Amino acid sequence: MDIAVIADPAARAAHAADLVEELLTGRAEPVLGVATGASPLELYAELERRRERMPRGLGAFALDEYVGIDPRDPRSYAGVVRDHVTVPLGLDPRRVHVPDGRAADLAAACRAYEEAIAASGGVDVQIVGIGTNGHIGFNEPGSSFDSRTRVVELAASTREANARYFDEPSEVPTHAVTQGIATILSARRIVLLAAGAAKAEAVAAALEGPVDPACPASALQRHPEVHLVLDPDAASQLRGVAASSVRG
Ligand code: PGA
């Protein structure tokens, strides 16, 4: 794994944007895997500044969506992707996909999502955050490494962490549709972004702990091309970080 520890948020976003751009450039219809949450927002702003260099046929697949939320609701992940990715980067909305959390047949919608990813040729660069409990997407601890897109129940800690986006904690949906761990690992390159001391334990468990479903992000150790872009706080519990990975 390639680990970059960068203190300056703008430099961190620029490094992550380089990692994204490198793999998209030169491909006719590349595919970006997009995370929501706070971690990737500076990267998306940096990609917007590079908008002219984004390939015209760029498509995107979101990691997850709440069950039961209206895609027009700004708290839906469809809304976040629209506001931070599709519109600012000038993507064709027909090429941007978010799981349908309101499908009458959610299982069928999950299968269709997997098929759409495969039909696109697969994700070139997947951007992911990490939960304080080690989740990636909404794959909570205990998720099978073979998992594909499916409906999951959110962990209490995840609902608490996401309550900041809702008026009342009880409004946070209890379930979500998420790409599975195997889905995420099928991307050609994965860029994991984490900042803040609250993520330090999960980052250390993911990188240096056992590869075990108790820490879903530890599955990333099995992927051939993962890049971590961290701030010093998120990297603070890593024992094996070489000084050379500290870039600012
Ligand atoms: P965050 O969430 O980017 O808002 O910290 C990441 C996650 O929970 O996966």
Side-chain angles (χ1 to χ4, degrees):
M1 289 199 207
D2 168 58
I3 306 171
V5 183
I6 304 173
D8 176 51
R12 212 162 50 240
H15 178 65
D18 288 347
L19 290 167
V20 169
E21 206 185 323
E22 194 177 50
L23 229 62
L24 302 186
T25 306
R27 299 178 81 97
E29 295 185 340
V31 179
L32 188 60
V34 291
T36 49
S39 303
L41 294 182
E42 277 157 357
L43 166 58
Y44 296 148
E46 176 62 24
L47 291 176
E48 182 184 3
R49 284 188 280 276
R50 303 177 183 200
R51 176 183 162 133
E52 295 308 316
R53 306 214 293 264
M54 291 294 122
R56 278 190 194 285
L58 180 61
F61 283 86
L63 278 176
D64 42 23
E65 176 62 287
Y66 292 119
V67 166
I69 201 160
D70 190 312
R72 290 165 300 188
D73 186 322
R75 299 167 303 187
S76 72
Y77 288 173
V80 173
V81 169
R82 184 175 56 239
D83 294 347
H84 292 279
V85 179
T86 313
V87 173
L89 270 57
L91 304 190
D92 178 347
R94 290 169 302 185
R95 301 185 64 79
V96 179
H97 306 266
V98 179
D100 180 359
R102 293 207 311 172
D105 185 343
L106 284 169
C110 292
R111 284 194 298 275
Y113 201 69
E114 286 283 336
E115 284 162 13
I117 294 172
S120 76
V123 171
D124 291 297
V125 187
Q126 177 65 58
I127 299 161
V128 290
I130 183 170
T132 54
N133 65 359
H135 74 201
I136 47 174
F138 275 136
N139 294 284
E140 304 288 22
S143 298
S144 165
F145 287 176
D146 294 332
S147 53
R148 290 279 170 182
T149 303
R150 69 204 187 288
V151 176
V152 292
E153 182 171 7
L154 299 179
S157 63
T158 299
R159 294 186 69 229
E160 276 162 33
N162 291 2
R164 65 191 193 276
Y165 298 112
F166 293 82
D167 293 334
E168 296 290 336
S170 60
E171 288 178 20
V172 183
T174 56
H175 291 75
V177 174
T178 184
Q179 287 189 28
I181 293 177
T183 320
I184 293 170
L185 291 187
S186 66
R188 295 184 180 87
R189 170 179 283 183
I190 297 176
V191 177
L192 184 144
L193 306 167
K199 301 290 175 72
E201 202 177 317
V203 166
L207 264 75
E208 296 178 345
V211 178
D212 190 289
C215 177
S218 67
L220 298 174
Q221 293 181 34
R222 293 191 174 159
H223 190 279
E225 215 206 317
V226 177
H227 299 261
L228 283 98
V229 185
L230 310 172
D231 78 344
D233 286 336
S236 60
Q237 289 189 31
L238 288 171
R239 291 184 304 274
V241 173
S244 60
S245 64
V246 180
R247 306 182 189 183

